[in-house]
């Protein structure tokens, strides 16, 4: 029994190493945490590689709840206006590019319980004067039911979204095939099905991370940006 278990561990490790050698480690990690399908009970539509929730009928109290969420997000930004405070509390930057104008997700992977005062991510914008706290991101499990999303941010106001149909490319892939108008792989890529991804020898990831909604409390956006514009991209 011990020998069989050891053999299984070795085979799993070998498979992991082989996959990591073919594809970037971060794509391999995404694959590990991915959902098996982008099927969902949440009424939604796809736009490119994004799946976005559709508006639900308004319910009593939705407006008040949305205003409370915006107020909570504003308080979070005030507290974490200095990025050093965020890093001290365990928030880490998710693949920053270093370019002026980029929006960086500082994410705390230890926040497993939902709390408006402790969002999954704080959004910082890189400016010539330094990092400016501009928004927060609240999340829900990738397999969340409509009721779960609505309990966090009302579906009549907030547009929830998640990244889907991701085809990762090998380490040797040219940058032009990952980003820009001619990209085949990644979040901007022209590959949208598992069959196409397999034919291109890519790494198919049906769902990337969880459902999420952004709030920009200090900007002139409808409902603090929770009401996401359908032409928007993340």
């Amino acid at each position: 029994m011990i020998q069989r278990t050891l053999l299984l561990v070795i085979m799993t490790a070998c498979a992991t190493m082989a996959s990591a050698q073919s594809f970037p480690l971060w794509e391999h990690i995404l694959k590990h945490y991915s959902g098996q399908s982008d099927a969902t009970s949440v009424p939604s539509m796809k736009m490119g590689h994004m799946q976005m929730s559709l508006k639900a009928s308004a319910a009593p109290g939705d407006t008040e709840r949305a205003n409370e969420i915006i107020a909570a997000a504003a308080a979070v930004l005030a507290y974490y206006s200095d990025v050093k405070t965020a890093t001290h509390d365990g928030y880490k930057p998710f693949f920053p590019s270093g370019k002026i104008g980029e929006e960086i997700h500082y994410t705390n992977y230890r926040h497993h319980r939902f709390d408006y005062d402790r969002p999954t991510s704080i959004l910082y914008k890189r400016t010539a004067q330094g990092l400016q706290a501009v928004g927060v991101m609240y999340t829900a499990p990738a397999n969340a039911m409509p009721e779960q999303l609505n309990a966090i941010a009302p579906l009549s106001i907030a547009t929830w979204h998640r990244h889907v149909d991701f085809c990762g490319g090998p380490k040797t892939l040219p940058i032009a095939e990952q980003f820009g108008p001619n990209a085949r792989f990644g979040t901007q890529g022209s590959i949208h099905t598992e069959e196409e991804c397999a034919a291109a020898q890519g790494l198919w990831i049906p769902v990337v991370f969880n459902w999420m909604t952004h709030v920009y409390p200090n900007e002139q956006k409808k409902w603090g940006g929770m009401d996401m514009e359908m032409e928007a991209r993340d």
Side-chain angles (χ1 to χ4, degrees):
M1 182 65 179
I2 295 178
Q3 289 181 334
R4 286 185 179 179
T5 302
L6 181 60
L7 179 60
L8 180 60
V9 171
I10 294 174
M11 290 176 65
T12 302
C14 288
T16 299
M17 291 177 62
S19 178
Q21 289 172 358
S22 301
F23 300 96
L25 180 59
W26 68 272
E27 289 183 358
H28 182 69
I29 293 173
L30 288 181
K31 177 69 174 179
H32 178 74
Y33 287 101
S34 169
Q36 297 302 307
S37 168
D38 60 14
T40 176
S41 60
V42 177
S44 57
M45 64 178 290
K46 284 187 182 181
M47 295 189 69
H49 291 282
M50 287 182 64
Q51 188 172 35
M52 306 169 75
S53 67
L54 299 176
K55 286 290 182 287
S57 299
D62 280 359
T63 298
E64 290 76 13
R65 289 177 55 209
N67 284 327
E68 290 172 0
I69 292 170
I70 294 171
V76 169
L77 292 192
Y79 182 77
Y80 288 114
S81 58
D82 187 338
V83 71
K84 291 180 181 178
T85 305
T87 56
H88 177 269
D89 286 355
Y91 286 91
K92 301 180 184 299
F94 186 78
F95 290 105
S97 70
K99 297 178 181 178
I100 296 294
E102 72 168 329
E103 186 175 283
I104 311 167
H105 289 57
Y106 271 71
T107 301
N108 192 320
Y109 299 96
R110 295 178 300 181
H111 287 176
H112 300 299
R113 283 189 170 184
F114 181 80
D115 187 336
Y116 290 111
D117 297 327
R118 294 178 176 81
T120 303
S121 299
I122 303 168
L123 312 177
Y124 288 90
K125 184 175 182 179
R126 190 183 301 280
T127 71
Q129 292 73 41
L131 293 177
Q132 177 186 358
V134 295
V136 304
M137 184 177 80
Y138 297 117
T139 61
N143 62 351
M145 305 290 284
E147 296 77 12
Q148 291 175 272
L149 300 185
N150 189 68
I152 297 172
L155 285 169
S156 67
I157 293 174
T159 302
W160 287 85
H161 69 281
R162 61 181 185 172
H163 301 276
V164 297
D165 301 342
F166 180 95
C167 184
K171 290 180 178 179
T172 56
L173 193 69
I175 294 296
E177 291 196 37
Q178 301 180 65
F179 303 100
N182 299 318
R184 298 176 62 210
F185 299 86
T187 57
Q188 301 173 340
S190 60
I191 297 175
H192 291 272
T193 68
E194 185 172 5
E195 291 74 22
E196 290 176 300
C197 188
Q201 298 183 328
L203 184 68
W204 181 248
I205 305 176
V207 179
V208 180
F209 296 134
N210 298 326
W211 283 104
M212 58 197 81
T213 189
H214 292 182
V215 186
Y216 300 88
N218 300 328
E219 296 187 18
Q220 297 301 313
K221 295 185 176 183
K222 185 178 179 181
W223 292 115
M226 282 191 292
D227 185 9
M228 194 174 185
E229 296 295 333
M230 283 296 139
E231 68 271 18
R233 292 293 182 269
D234 189 18

